[in-house]
Amino acid sequence: MSMFCFQCQETFKNSGCVNRGVCGKTSDVANLQDFLIWISKGLAEIEVKSERKNKEVVDRIILNLFTTITNANFDFSQIKDRIFETIDMMNSLREDKNYSEAANWSSKNFSEIEKKIDSGEVSILSEENEDIRSLKELITYGLKGMAAYTRHAKVLGYESEKVNNFILNTMAELLREKSLDELVSLTLETGSMGYLAMATLDSANTKTYGNPEISSVNIGVRKNPGILVSGHDLKDFEMLLDQAKDTGVDIYTHSEMLPANYYPKFKKYENFVGNYGNAWWKQRDEFEAFNGPILMTTNCIVPPKDSYKDKLFTTGAAGYPGCKYIEADEKGHKDFSEIIELAKTCKVPEEIEKGSILGGFAHSQVMELADKVVEAVKNGDITKFIVMAGCDGRMADRDYYTEFAKELPKSTVILTAGCAKYRYNKLNLGDINGIPRVLDAGQCNDSYSLIQIALALVDAFGVESVNDLPIVYNIAWYEQKAVIVLLALLSLGVKNIHLGPSLPAFLSPNVTDVLVEKFNIAGITNVEDDIKNLII
């Protein structure tokens, strides 16, 4: 059966991928992911209808959601295993109650699973009402992003019971018939819980590794063999750093792992060199040039070249067929010795850049600059802050964001988080009274920091809401973690967000109209006109 997927920004013709994903996933993998989400909703229903509080259930649902995020897992056999594990859990927990078809699914006969998939009944398109489908998918994609942030916090020993319960209850609710008004309300509630999930992860990261510090990050190389770490999981990064110390192997970050360079605890490792490369979509050339092994801790995998495929390792929710997967033991420990030993046999990384980039402007650091920032605004040296957080992507129209940054008035400051920053974080945009014109808060989840900065400015200027501040939003999106960030902003009442390079294909015209009416959501046009409309 052909697939249908429109969860990412690069979906075919901004409509939907039907034969093979633009991301590279095959139709059989895409369809298995749909089935995994369907039975995950069934598992949630079983748990909600019981009197139990089973931690393993919510952990399983969170893993399943994370597994289906764009560019996370392309491995048919891994997804099949997670389906079977979920069915086993359902069969062990099911009681004599009235359940939906998804919750009643009990067969591990793969031919029956394939038959169910072929029927189209677990497909996104099985919901015939376009607006209902749009809102249910918007909520589902928000849950996927929320699950990613929740899992990162969990491995560090932090979690929110409210977020866990919300994920569980909402997955079950998505199996039920809902009115448009009910789904709109649930969408905003998803945003509120996403904000709490980001706050929980912020606490986990800062209490474990210290508050990020303003840091000059090396982007060159040294003369030792190296390991390149991409993705988002700081716990994986810590374990690898610790196991690789005193081995003669250097460690570099890539793409969304760049903010690891800002945490005090990681700076203590002498084998931690800096950042290598740029945003995720350039990895095929950059991974090849790196020469050493690569560890993908989460999503943002691009189907690898044969030249380095045998050096690409995955872990956590990530997976790619033919690449070695590193499993955690019962205590969460991962043995990275195979990667380290392989690195010792590899050539040193090819130098593709020299110099450094500045980052580490999370909320704790910017708060220390608050008086300086407020003074600069009051005396007119800073006229606007532009939130340009979000995701990067490979489409040529994303050059818009580089040109937008270049053409901004010199009295403006960019607030950023996520890999969208690679479009402009290496430009020489200067500073304003010692305040850099690009303030990088960190990973996509560190959009929480940008929200905290905005809320602090509300207090500093004595205005009623963030919508009264000299802040505008020109956000790039790609996948589902950006969706939950957007929903979190909407739940806080933030308006006038410009979203690009295209509006999500999963938003029906009527749902788009609701967002425009309630929140003044808009797309982008061209650099000149958008600067006139947003800035001047």
Side-chain angles (χ1 to χ4, degrees):
M1 179 183 172
S2 63
M3 63 183 279
F4 183 82
C5 180
F6 58 0
Q7 69 176 4
C8 85
Q9 188 272 323
E10 290 184 350
T11 193
F12 186 64
K13 293 186 177 180
N14 204 41
S15 177
C17 295
V18 294
N19 295 312
R20 183 183 181 90
V22 171
C23 65
K25 69 181 175 184
T26 58
S27 59
D28 57 351
V29 166
N31 290 329
L32 273 194
Q33 289 183 350
D34 286 347
F35 188 85
L36 180 61
I37 292 298
W38 184 67
I39 60 169
S40 295
K41 292 173 183 175
L43 174 60
E45 181 187 339
I46 291 171
E47 183 67 9
V48 167
K49 287 187 173 182
S50 76
E51 300 298 324
R52 298 178 301 268
K53 290 283 187 179
N54 192 328
K55 185 178 182 297
E56 291 182 357
V57 171
V58 72
D59 287 350
R60 168 59 54 182
I61 291 170
I62 286 169
L63 175 61
N64 291 350
L65 284 164
F66 198 174
T67 296
T68 64
I69 276 185
T70 300
N71 287 350
N73 202 307
F74 299 77
D75 194 324
F76 183 94
S77 62
Q78 270 197 35
I79 299 167
K80 183 178 175 181
D81 288 345
R82 287 176 189 170
I83 286 172
F84 287 165
E85 289 161 359
T86 303
I87 293 170
D88 283 339
M89 185 171 283
M90 293 167 69
N91 289 342
S92 69
L93 297 174
R94 196 179 292 107
E95 299 172 343
D96 185 19
K97 293 184 178 181
N98 185 29
Y99 294 117
S100 68
E101 185 182 3
N104 271 323
W105 188 272
S106 60
S107 175
K108 291 173 65 178
N109 183 320
F110 195 65
S111 64
E112 291 186 23
I113 292 172
E114 289 180 311
K115 185 177 179 180
K116 186 64 178 176
I117 290 171
D118 288 342
S119 73
E121 294 172 7
V122 302
S123 167
I124 293 164
L125 299 177
S126 62
E127 175 55 67
E128 294 182 2
N129 183 299
E130 183 183 28
D131 298 329
I132 297 292
R133 179 171 68 235
S134 177
L135 286 169
K136 282 191 171 183
E137 292 308 304
L138 176 56
I139 293 164
T140 301
Y141 302 153
L143 290 176
K144 289 185 180 187
M146 194 188 311
Y149 297 150
T150 298
R151 185 170 168 86
H152 290 316
K154 279 177 177 286
V155 298
L156 294 175
Y158 292 78
E159 58 186 317
S160 163
E161 188 173 350
K162 282 186 178 180
V163 171
N164 288 346
N165 290 339
F166 180 81
I167 291 172
L168 197 68
N169 289 323
T170 304
M171 286 289 280
E173 286 293 305
L174 288 171
L175 288 170
R176 300 176 58 190
E177 291 188 5
K178 294 281 186 182
S179 69
L180 286 173
D181 287 343
E182 287 174 323
L183 289 171
V184 169
S185 177
L186 188 54
T187 298
L188 292 178
E189 193 177 352
T190 302
S192 296
M193 287 297 117
Y195 179 67
L196 180 55
M198 286 192 286
T200 304
L201 180 53
D202 181 79
S203 292
N205 288 341
T206 55
K207 289 178 181 178
T208 305
Y209 303 117
N211 285 313
E213 300 170 341
I214 298 173
S215 307
S216 179
V217 181
N218 173 45
I219 57 174
V221 300
R222 295 199 301 214
K223 299 300 182 183
N224 299 324
I227 299 172
L228 189 58
V229 187
S230 196
H232 306 75
D233 197 288
L234 296 181
K235 180 63 175 178
D236 288 338
F237 187 71
E238 178 187 19
M239 285 189 283
L240 177 62
L241 268 180
D242 196 59
Q243 292 173 41
K245 67 182 180 183
D246 302 323
T247 64
V249 174
D250 286 338
I251 308 297
Y252 297 77
T253 58
H254 179 266
S255 191
E256 277 277 63
M257 196 57 77
L258 163 64
N261 290 271
Y262 311 152
Y263 287 93
K265 189 168 183 178
F266 296 143
K267 293 181 179 182
K268 298 175 183 178
Y269 290 90
E270 294 181 1
N271 59 333
F272 185 12
V273 178
N275 192 70
Y276 187 91
N278 297 276
W280 62 273
W281 62 275
K282 291 188 175 183
Q283 68 186 246
R284 282 169 64 86
D285 291 332
E286 292 174 351
F287 287 3
E288 187 173 54
F290 186 74
N291 294 324
I294 305 104
L295 175 64
M296 296 296 305
T297 64
T298 60
N299 58 319
C300 300
I301 300 173
V302 176
K305 293 180 179 180
D306 290 340
S307 59
Y308 65 83
K309 185 176 180 181
D310 61 344
K311 292 185 287 189
L312 184 67
F313 293 76
T314 64
T315 191
Y320 196 87
C323 295
K324 182 69 180 288
Y325 181 80
I326 306 296
E327 188 73 72
D329 64 19
E330 293 180 355
K331 295 182 179 180
H333 177 76
K334 297 178 182 180
D335 181 1
F336 294 120
S337 58
E338 184 176 348
I339 305 178
I340 295 166
E341 291 306 310
L342 175 59
K344 292 177 182 178
T345 69
C346 296
K347 294 188 295 185
V348 301
E350 175 186 327
E351 189 164 72
I352 57 176
E353 297 176 288
K354 290 184 178 180
S356 62
I357 48 178
L358 194 65
F361 293 92
H363 58 92
S364 63
Q365 285 286 272
V366 175
M367 297 308 180
E368 293 181 15
L369 299 172
D371 291 343
K372 196 173 185 179
V373 170
V374 171
E375 181 183 1
V377 173
K378 287 182 175 178
N379 65 25
D381 292 332
I382 295 177
T383 56
K384 279 278 174 67
F385 296 94
I386 302 93
V387 176
M388 292 179 67
C391 315
D392 198 11
R394 64 199 129 198
M395 289 184 173
D397 56 4
R398 286 181 180 263
D399 289 342
Y400 162 94
Y401 293 102
T402 303
E403 295 307 312
F404 187 89
K406 286 180 179 178
E407 296 301 320
L408 283 170
K410 296 189 184 300
S411 60
T412 58
V413 173
I414 295 171
L415 303 176
T416 191
C419 64
K421 62 174 158 278
Y422 284 103
R423 288 286 171 174
Y424 40 79
N425 69 340
K426 295 174 184 178
L427 299 176
N428 184 17
L429 296 180
D431 64 81
I432 300 172
N433 301 341
I435 302 167
R437 289 193 56 224
V438 177
L439 302 181
D440 173 28
Q443 295 181 344
C444 51
N445 54 279
D446 291 312
S447 295
Y448 173 79
S449 270
L450 304 184
I451 295 170
Q452 294 307 299
I453 292 167
L455 294 176
L457 290 176
V458 167
D459 291 338
F461 289 107
V463 295
E464 290 187 7
S465 78
V466 293
N467 297 311
D468 300 315
L469 292 170
I471 297 178
V472 295
Y473 300 82
N474 194 2
I475 295 175
W477 83 283
Y478 179 76
E479 41 90 330
Q480 297 78 61
K481 284 176 287 184
V483 172
I484 193 59
V485 172
L486 173 65
L487 294 182
L489 290 171
L490 297 183
S491 75
L492 292 169
V494 177
K495 295 184 178 181
N496 303 313
I497 297 172
H498 287 248
L499 196 63
S502 59
L503 292 178
F506 54 80
L507 295 181
S508 69
N510 288 334
V511 170
T512 300
D513 288 346
V514 170
L515 294 176
V516 170
E517 180 182 347
K518 287 183 175 290
F519 300 102
N520 295 330
I521 289 274
I524 60 173
T525 58
N526 61 73
V527 169
E528 183 179 0
D529 288 342
D530 287 348
I531 285 180
K532 285 180 181 178
N533 292 331
L534 286 169
I535 311 301
I536 298 174

